[in-house]
Amino acid sequence: MDEVTAGTGDVAAMAAASAPMFGVLDIVLLAGMAGFGIYWVYFRNNSKPQPPPTKGYTMQPTLVAPKANDSSFIAKMKASGKNIVVFYGSQTGTAEEFALRLVKEAARYGMKALYPADPEECEMEELSKLSEINNSLVIFCMATYGEGDPTDNASAFYEWLKTEEPDLTGVNYAVFGLGNKTYEHFNSMGKFFDKRLEELGATRVVEAGVGDDDGNMEEDFLTWKDTLWPAVLDFFGLEMNLQEISMRQYRLEIPDVPPEKLFTGEIARLRAYQTQRPPFDAKNPFLAQVTAWRELHKGGDRSCMHIELDISNSKLRYDAGDHVAVYPVNDPALVNRFGELLSVDLDTPISLVNIDDQSTKKHPFPCPCTYRTALSHYLDITSNPRTHVLKELAEHTTNFEEKQKLLMMASSSVEGKELYQQWVLQDNRSLLHILEDLPSCKPSLDLVCELLTRLQSRYYSISSSSKLHPETVHITAVLLKYTTPTGRINKGVATTWLASKKPQLDQPPHQVPIFIRKSQFRLPARHQTPIIMIGPGTGVAPFRGFIQERLKVKREGKPVGDTVLFFGCRKKTEDFLYEEEFEESIQEGLLTLHTAFSRDQPDKKVYVTHLLKEQGEYIWRIISEESGHIYVCGDARNMARDVHDIIVDICSRYGKLSSSEAHAFVKKLETQRRYSADVWS
C-alpha cells in the first residue's frame, strides 16, 4: 500500500512541474479581450450599414436582364422600333423557315419585323398589348401535327388561347397554316388560330393561307405570300416601295477557340455527349448503344433492319406504341462534296451570329463548330431547296443562262413555277445537286449553311414492349435507296446511317442519340378488350410490341381478349417480318393472323384491304358488341385512307347504318380512342 501511495505522489509532482502557465479558459478569455480591443480601435466608428444575414446567400443579377424581359416580345418590339412579329408552331422546321422568310421580306416592304418568335419562349399573354404599337401586325405560321394537334412548341399557347378570353381588340393578324391532306384533321391548327383570334376581337388583315405538304407546300406559301404584303400595305395605307436589301440574317465569324470549345454534334449543351446527364429529351438526347442489329428480309434486293438500343441507366421509360426519335448524321461523301465544289477546308471553325441583337436565336445551329460538323450533324443537305434559296443562289452565279434559270424558278410566273416543279421537285435535286449541275454557281459556304434548314430527328414506332424489354428499345426500319430521274442514287439519311451501326466484335459499340416521344397509340387498359391491328410492311412495328405485351399477360395465366393482326407484304419468303415470333404467338393461342402477300399470286394482287372486307362481319361484331379497339399503322396517303373507308363501309353494311350514321359511328370510335392511327406520308 505504501509503495502505491509513493508512486502516485511522484506522478502528481511531475504533472504539476510540466503544467502550462495559462489554462485553456485563460487563453479563450485573453483572445476574446484582444478581439474586442481590435474592434474598438478599428471598426467601432464604421457606420456602413450591413446587409441582413439572409441576403448574403442571394446572387443578385447585374448585367443579365431578368428572364421576364427576355421573354417579353412587346418590350423588344418597342425597344427596337419593330411593328411586326411572326410566331411559328413548327415540328419539322418548315413553319419556322416560312416565318424567317416573312421577317426578311417585311424589310423589303419598308416594315420592321422581329426575328421569328417561338411561342414557347415568349409571354404570349402580352398579345393584347400589341395594339399599343402603331401599325402593328402579328403573323402566325402554324403547323398541324399528329391527329390535329399543335406542335410541341405551340401547345401551351394553344391551350391558353383555347381556354382563356383575352381581349384582342386592336390586334391585327394573319395566319398561314401548314398541313397534309392525307390526314383527317387537315390544317386544324391554322384554322383554329384564324377563327379563335377573330372570336377574341382581333382583326384579320388577309385571308388565312393553307399549305398542303401532300401537294406543293412551297407553291401554296408563295401564292398566299403574294396576297399578304399588298393586303398589309393597303390595310395600313402604305405605298408599295420595294427596297433591295441584304437578305442575310447571320454574319460569319471565325472563332479563335481551342478544339474542346467547339460543338461536335451536340444538340444544345457543349460536350453533352461526353458528360451525359438526365433528364434526356429532344434538346438533350441519350447516347444509346446498339446492342443488336439484324436483317429481317430473307431475300430480294431490299433491306429491313431490326435494331435494339440499350437504354439502361438512362431513366428513359416507354410504353408499347410510343416513338423513339433518332438524330442521324449525313453521308460523309455528300458532306465532302461541298468542300470540293466550293474549295473550302471543311475543318475550319466557324460561328454564324444573328445580326438582329434582339433575337433570342443567336445562331442557326450550335456554334462555334466546323463546317464539317454543321454539314454532318446540323443541316439538311439532301432535301429539295425552296424558291427563295434559288434566288439567293442566283446572286452568286456568273453564267447568264444558269443565273436566268435560277431567277425564273424563284419567280411567281407560271413558267417559273412549272420549271421549279419539274427541275427541282420531280427531278429531286438537292442544293448540292444544283451546285453540281450549275457549275458557275459559287456561293460562300457560310451562305449555304444559312440557307439550308436544320436536320431533323427521325421518329420510329417502337417495335417492342417495355413489359418484356424494359432496358432496350427496338426499331424496325426499311433502308431507303432509290434512283432519281437524273440518274443519281439517293439514300435515306437516317436509315443509311443506321445501316452502318451493325455491331462488330473488334470495335467498340456504336452509339445513337435518341429520345422518347410519348404517344396516344395505346393498348386498352383491360387485357380482355379485343383488338384489331392493321399494319402492312413496317406498319407492323408497334403491333409487335402490343403482341409481346399481351403474350406476357397470357403466360401469367390472365385472360386476354381477341388479338387479331392484319399484315401484308410482297412475298412470304422474302419480307414477312417477324414471321417466327408471330407463329409462336399463334401456337400459344394468343394471335389470330390474316396475311396478304401481294406478289405471290401471279394473276391477282391481294392486299390487306381485301382481307378486311372478307372479315367485315367479324370486325363489326368486335367493335359494336364487344367494345373492341381498331389500330392502323403505316402509309397515310393510301393505305390508312382506304382502311378508314372500308371500316365505314363495314359499319354501314353489317350495322344497317346509313352513310352519315356510319361516318358518325366511326367518328365516335375515334373520339373514344377506340380507332387509333399511327401513320406517316
Side-chain angles (χ1 to χ4, degrees):
M1 184 174 179
D2 291 338
E3 289 179 3
V4 174
T5 303
T8 304
D10 293 338
V11 172
M14 292 171 60
S18 61
M21 183 177 295
F22 298 102
V24 175
L25 182 58
D26 298 321
I27 293 173
V28 171
L29 289 172
L30 287 171
M33 292 171 65
F36 181 79
I38 292 171
Y39 165 77
W40 184 264
V41 172
Y42 294 103
F43 300 105
R44 179 172 61 90
N45 295 322
N46 188 350
S47 59
K48 183 179 179 180
Q50 298 301 309
T54 53
K55 292 272 185 161
Y57 298 95
T58 304
M59 294 294 291
Q60 298 295 332
T62 53
L63 300 178
V64 180
K67 179 67 175 178
N69 289 346
D70 286 344
S71 59
S72 173
F73 68 91
I74 294 294
K76 289 180 180 179
M77 292 178 72
K78 290 180 177 179
S80 57
K82 307 287 176 66
N83 63 339
I84 296 178
V85 58
V86 187
F87 290 103
Y88 61 88
S90 185
Q91 200 72 28
T92 63
T94 305
E96 182 179 2
E97 176 197 342
F98 285 172
L100 177 58
R101 291 166 67 177
L102 293 174
V103 167
K104 290 182 176 180
E105 285 216 352
R108 294 188 63 224
Y109 289 89
M111 292 173 278
K112 295 182 178 181
L114 197 67
Y115 190 83
D118 184 343
E120 196 172 31
E121 299 176 356
C122 296
E123 295 178 4
M124 298 309 294
E125 296 85 351
E126 290 189 328
L127 195 59
S128 59
K129 296 181 181 179
L130 195 62
S131 58
E132 299 173 3
I133 300 175
N134 190 40
N135 285 355
S136 59
L137 172 70
V138 57
I139 304 175
F140 292 96
C141 293
M142 308 305 288
T144 300
Y145 177 63
E147 296 300 305
D149 302 317
T151 58
D152 292 344
N153 75 309
S155 58
F157 175 48
Y158 165 76
E159 291 297 333
W160 176 78
L161 205 63
K162 185 173 68 171
T163 57
E164 301 296 326
E165 296 288 333
D167 182 8
L168 299 185
T169 303
V171 174
N172 309 308
Y173 77 93
V175 174
F176 183 78
L178 298 82
N180 189 309
K181 280 185 178 176
T182 60
Y183 293 87
E184 179 185 358
H185 306 281
F186 172 60
N187 239 309
S188 62
M189 283 300 106
K191 296 172 184 175
F192 165 80
F193 280 97
D194 183 57
K195 179 181 178 182
R196 184 58 176 158
L197 290 167
E198 184 182 44
E199 291 173 350
L200 295 172
T203 302
R204 183 186 296 107
V205 173
V206 65
E207 288 299 311
V210 178
D212 177 21
D213 199 36
D214 189 48
N216 189 331
M217 179 77 78
E218 175 71 6
E219 186 171 330
D220 294 336
F221 177 69
L222 291 177
T223 301
W224 176 77
K225 185 168 65 66
D226 288 345
T227 66
L228 169 69
W229 296 119
V232 170
L233 294 172
D234 182 64
F235 184 84
F236 292 119
L238 304 174
E239 293 185 3
M240 179 78 74
N241 183 22
L242 287 178
Q243 303 175 19
E244 289 302 322
I245 61 170
S246 171
M247 300 296 279
R248 292 297 300 264
Q249 190 64 45
Y250 298 93
R251 67 175 182 272
L252 173 66
E253 294 183 358
I254 305 299
D256 183 15
V257 295
E260 62 270 16
K261 295 295 184 181
L262 295 174
F263 282 89
T264 56
E266 304 93 330
I267 303 303
R269 179 172 61 86
L270 185 66
R271 301 187 67 78
Y273 292 160
Q274 284 77 26
T275 56
Q276 291 256 280
R277 294 199 298 261
F280 297 107
D281 52 28
K283 294 182 179 179
N284 183 36
F286 174 68
L287 281 180
Q289 289 189 358
V290 179
T291 56
W293 190 111
R294 71 176 189 270
E295 175 62 51
L296 292 177
H297 284 178
K298 305 178 185 71
D301 56 358
R302 297 180 305 140
S303 171
C304 183
M305 301 169 285
H306 172 87
I307 301 170
E308 299 181 13
L309 304 172
D310 183 2
I311 60 170
S312 60
N313 303 318
S314 69
K315 297 185 179 179
L316 288 174
R317 300 291 180 265
Y318 75 95
D319 293 299
D322 284 343
H323 302 110
V324 58
V326 172
Y327 281 106
V329 178
N330 283 313
D331 186 342
L334 299 180
V335 171
N336 289 335
R337 193 78 178 105
F338 277 99
E340 295 167 2
L341 289 171
L342 300 178
S343 302
V344 174
D345 179 3
L346 297 182
D347 295 315
T348 303
I350 62 163
S351 185
L352 294 186
V353 182
N354 203 317
I355 60 176
D356 183 356
D357 56 8
Q358 292 291 326
S359 173
T360 57
K361 187 172 184 178
K362 300 304 179 186
H363 311 283
F365 45 79
C367 290
C369 66
T370 64
Y371 279 121
R372 187 180 305 281
T373 295
L375 294 169
S376 299
H377 296 271
Y378 300 137
L379 298 171
D380 184 350
I381 64 175
T382 61
S383 62
N384 308 130
R386 301 194 187 277
T387 55
H388 73 287
V389 174
L390 305 184
K391 186 175 182 180
E392 289 288 324
L393 293 179
E395 299 300 314
H396 302 273
T397 303
T398 55
N399 179 275
F400 178 78
E401 292 182 357
E402 293 178 358
K403 183 170 187 172
Q404 290 305 114
K405 186 171 191 172
L406 289 169
L407 290 174
M408 168 78 76
M409 291 187 289
S411 72
S412 57
S413 68
V414 175
E415 296 85 355
K417 290 180 178 179
E418 289 178 352
L419 182 60
Y420 174 78
Q421 177 71 27
Q422 176 62 51
W423 199 76
V424 176
L425 299 184
Q426 292 183 15
D427 286 352
N428 210 339
R429 280 184 171 87
S430 66
L431 192 150
L432 180 61
H433 297 154
I434 291 174
L435 296 180
E436 290 178 332
D437 293 345
L438 303 179
S440 77
C441 182
K442 298 293 182 183
S444 63
L445 190 49
D446 63 285
L447 173 62
V448 169
C449 289
E450 180 175 332
L451 294 175
L452 291 170
T453 58
R454 280 295 295 268
L455 181 61
Q456 300 294 319
S457 59
R458 271 41 174 187
Y459 292 96
Y460 297 94
S461 299
I462 296 175
S463 56
S464 56
S465 167
S466 60
K467 301 294 189 294
L468 200 65
H469 302 283
E471 295 191 341
T472 56
V473 165
H474 298 185
I475 293 176
T476 306
V478 168
L479 179 62
L480 183 62
K481 184 178 179 181
Y482 58 94
T483 303
T484 71
T486 64
R488 293 180 169 95
I489 304 296
N490 276 9
K491 302 174 183 179
V493 176
T495 54
T496 299
W497 185 65
L498 289 171
S500 68
K501 300 302 175 186
K502 191 172 183 179
Q504 304 292 334
L505 292 176
D506 57 342
Q507 296 179 3
H510 293 289
Q511 294 181 313
V512 176
I514 68 165
F515 64 93
I516 302 296
R517 185 179 68 184
K518 307 305 286 185
S519 166
Q520 298 295 327
F521 203 68
R522 286 282 182 271
L523 277 169
R526 296 178 66 253
H527 303 305
Q528 298 95 321
T529 302
I531 62 171
I532 296 172
M533 302 168 288
I534 304 161
T538 54
V540 78
F543 303 137
R544 178 176 181 259
F546 283 10
I547 293 168
Q548 285 180 354
E549 195 154 317
R550 287 206 151 192
L551 185 59
K552 182 177 184 295
V553 171
K554 185 175 180 63
R555 286 171 175 172
E556 292 170 352
K558 301 173 184 176
V560 178
D562 285 9
T563 303
V564 182
L565 172 63
F566 289 85
F567 172 76
C569 62
R570 294 183 181 181
K571 295 184 177 182
K572 185 178 189 300
T573 57
E574 288 186 4
D575 52 353
F576 189 173
L577 306 182
Y578 302 113
E579 179 182 5
E580 295 79 10
E581 292 184 28
F582 294 151
E583 183 60 36
E584 182 181 5
S585 298
I586 294 171
Q587 295 297 326
E588 295 197 33
L590 171 75
L591 181 65
T592 300
L593 180 62
H594 300 280
T595 54
F597 305 110
S598 61
R599 300 189 182 181
D600 275 352
Q601 299 83 13
D603 54 334
K604 178 185 176 183
K605 290 187 176 181
V606 179
Y607 296 103
V608 161
T609 48
H610 297 120
L611 304 181
L612 291 174
K613 292 176 182 177
E614 293 174 3
Q615 298 296 322
E617 186 174 1
Y618 169 79
I619 292 172
W620 170 249
R621 176 170 62 82
I622 290 297
I623 60 178
S624 65
E625 299 178 15
E626 301 185 28
S627 301
H629 289 221
I630 295 178
Y631 299 91
V632 183
C633 183
D635 167 47
R637 183 175 285 108
N638 299 309
M639 184 277 297
R641 186 182 294 172
D642 292 343
V643 167
H644 185 274
D645 293 342
I646 290 170
I647 297 299
V648 170
D649 184 65
I650 286 173
C651 294
S652 177
R653 180 179 178 183
Y654 295 99
K656 308 296 188 226
L657 304 176
S658 66
S659 177
S660 60
E661 290 172 334
H663 278 91
F665 183 86
V666 173
K667 186 68 177 177
K668 186 177 180 180
L669 291 179
E670 293 172 339
T671 303
Q672 296 172 339
R673 297 202 180 279
R674 290 177 51 209
Y675 188 120
S676 301
D678 179 8
V679 294
W680 57 84
S681 59

